[in-house]
Amino acid sequence: MHTNGVDDIALLSLQESHSLSVLMYAAPALSLGSRQIDELNVCWNSVIRKIFGYHRWESMKCVLYGLGRLNVKHLILLRKVKFYWRLYSMDTCNNMLHNLFCVYLQNNYCHDDVAKTV
């Protein structure tokens, strides 16, 4: 990055609006494994390290916390919750989609309960 004289927070905002949005575009609709989510998190942490001049071995948790930002794992969870909430709280004009989502929720709830008891 060639950013001499640019404020770090402004650069982070630009990266969030462009790079992070590309990383997170389809996350709520995908079934990502924990390893894939970890890889996305590493990718985003590398961007933050580059902006603020941190080394690879330094943790970004405190930096993100201090800036009031979430890591990619939590951003994906938040987007999924928002996505699911929108599906669940749809008005009656999309009743079929709402019903399909309710069946999906019940199916996953039942499978989770069975997996926990085994």
Side-chain angles (χ1 to χ4, degrees):
M1 287 184 238
H2 302 289
T3 58
N4 295 336
V6 177
D7 183 49
D8 292 340
I9 301 299
L11 188 57
L12 178 62
S13 292
L14 285 171
Q15 289 295 329
E16 285 173 334
S17 63
H18 295 284
S19 303
L20 187 60
S21 64
V22 169
L23 278 176
M24 302 295 296
Y25 178 70
L30 297 174
S31 179
L32 297 172
S34 61
R35 184 173 179 172
Q36 293 168 317
I37 294 172
D38 287 341
E39 288 172 0
L40 288 173
N41 204 41
V42 166
C43 178
W44 183 242
N45 284 345
S46 295
V47 171
I48 295 171
R49 281 187 184 95
K50 182 77 173 174
I51 291 171
F52 293 102
Y54 282 86
H55 297 284
R56 178 111 173 106
W57 61 86
E58 294 177 290
S59 175
M60 292 292 98
K61 287 180 184 180
C62 291
V63 175
L64 288 170
Y65 182 72
L67 293 171
R69 305 298 206 283
L70 297 172
N71 65 12
V72 171
K73 289 179 184 182
H74 290 102
L75 287 172
I76 288 173
L77 284 174
L78 182 63
R79 285 183 181 221
K80 280 188 176 190
V81 166
K82 287 180 178 180
F83 179 73
Y84 291 159
W85 179 252
R86 283 188 208 115
L87 284 175
Y88 184 73
S89 61
M90 287 183 141
D91 58 357
T92 55
C93 69
N94 253 335
N95 201 20
M96 187 175 90
L97 189 57
H98 172 81
N99 290 339
L100 283 173
F101 181 66
C102 288
V103 169
Y104 166 78
L105 283 178
Q106 289 173 348
N107 240 2
N108 281 345
Y109 181 74
C110 292
H111 289 302
D112 288 345
D113 284 347
V114 170
K116 289 177 185 176
T117 58
V118 174

